[in-house]
Amino acid sequence: MIYFANDQSLKEQLEKLSSEDYQNWIQFKLTTSSEYETFVGMEDNMYTLKVSKVCSKWEYALFDFIGYEESHGKNMILHVSPEDFKQAQRRYGNHHFQEKQIRADEPKVLIHSTPWRSWENIQAEGTLKSWHILKRENPDFEAEPIGKQLGDPENYRDYIMFSNGHVASEIVVLSKQSGYVDMNHDKLYQTGARLYLDMTAIAKDGLLVRDGAHLKVKNELPLEKYLIWVGTWETAGLENQVSTPLAFTTKANNKFNELYGNVFGDVTTLSTRNLKA
């Protein structure tokens, strides 16, 4: 159900919620901040997606958020004015959070980064799997995904997350090794594998999901049909497996550009919006 933040009855309803009840609530805050385009984390005891109007597609983010969260039965609080809501609704038109085509402003190639040991398992099975599936298959798998520290909703564990080429995807691997959300892109770590995937084909097959901040796939993704290239320390041209998130990202993206055309530009932008397990 959708609630607007200025709803007079909302405050009374929230006051009656227990800490467990808050798990069924989520909020979207439209801002004018120049510090980010999108940002996720916990605010007001609930998971919050903040989107700034500096983001050229904030209208799409809002209605992708609404569609995705409705599909998961969430109660949504929108910190959005009626005028902005109507504007977003008009621009969004007949789009859908799981529409079967890449939009004009969406990347055609996305990346899933994974530690080396996980890459060995992925290679053997030929499939990417969500955290929940991996945990079910192996109870000794991670105690919790790194995204838990950002307050990620439980349903995020059913999805495989992707990044758009920025260093954030390697920050995920670094954070797994550090045991906490580690944003130091110049810190040494053991590089794993960067899987470059054909998002156009994934969308065409109806697998691409948008939640307002992320592009992702539910449950499993076979690599044979969608994998374009794998960036490792060897294929990227590093001297050895130890590097930094920024150096590995830069090397791998430049190599991909060399092989497949200039797909990726500046890779230095950090963003926790892509910080997902």
Side-chain angles (χ1 to χ4, degrees), residues 40-42 47 144-153 157 175-182 272 275-277:
V40 296
M42 294 296 292
Y47 188 76
E144 60 184 25
I146 197 68
K148 173 71 173 179
Q149 297 183 31
L150 294 174
D152 282 359
R157 302 182 186 190
S175 297
K176 286 176 180 288
Q177 293 177 16
S178 298
Y180 59 92
V181 178
D182 192 340
T272 54
L275 187 53
K276 305 298 167 202

Side-chain angles (χ1 to χ4, degrees), residues 50-200:
K50 295 196 291 188
V51 178
S52 173
K53 284 189 174 181
V54 301
C55 175
S56 62
K57 52 185 179 180
W58 66 264
E59 297 98 334
Y60 287 89
L62 172 58
F63 274 87
D64 282 339
F65 171 88
I66 291 172
Y68 175 84
E69 298 303 341
E70 279 184 335
S71 75
H72 286 86
K74 290 283 189 177
N75 293 311
M76 291 166 273
I77 301 175
L78 305 183
H79 297 256
V80 180
S81 71
E83 296 76 18
D84 286 333
F85 184 86
K86 290 177 182 178
Q87 176 182 327
Q89 192 173 40
R90 286 193 299 269
R91 186 179 179 193
Y92 195 75
N94 293 323
H95 286 282
H96 188 271
F97 73 94
Q98 203 170 348
E99 61 188 311
K100 296 183 178 183
Q101 61 183 10
I102 292 291
R103 299 168 186 167
D105 57 356
E106 290 178 334
K108 295 180 180 179
V109 177
L110 286 181
I111 294 162
H112 179 82
S113 291
T114 186
W116 189 259
R117 180 171 293 182
S118 297
W119 169 231
E120 291 177 336
N121 293 333
I122 292 167
Q123 280 184 292
E125 297 189 1
T127 305
L128 282 175
K129 298 179 179 180
S130 70
W131 191 93
H132 263 154
I133 290 178
L134 292 172
K135 185 68 172 178
R136 185 170 65 244
E137 293 178 348
N138 178 15
D140 293 328
F141 189 55
E142 302 169 341
E144 60 184 25
I146 197 68
K148 173 71 173 179
Q149 297 183 31
L150 294 174
D152 282 359
E154 181 77 13
N155 67 68
Y156 276 29
R157 302 182 186 190
D158 291 327
Y159 291 86
I160 303 157
M161 298 288 193
F162 303 100
S163 79
N164 60 357
H166 290 175
V167 70
S169 55
E170 293 310 312
I171 290 296
V172 175
V173 178
L174 170 65
S175 297
K176 286 176 180 288
Q177 293 177 16
S178 298
Y180 59 92
V181 178
D182 192 340
M183 299 296 292
N184 184 0
H185 60 71
D186 291 318
K187 183 176 180 179
L188 292 175
Y189 77 129
Q190 291 284 331
T191 60
R194 290 170 61 82
L195 280 60
Y196 292 72
L197 297 141
D198 184 347
M199 285 296 117
T200 301

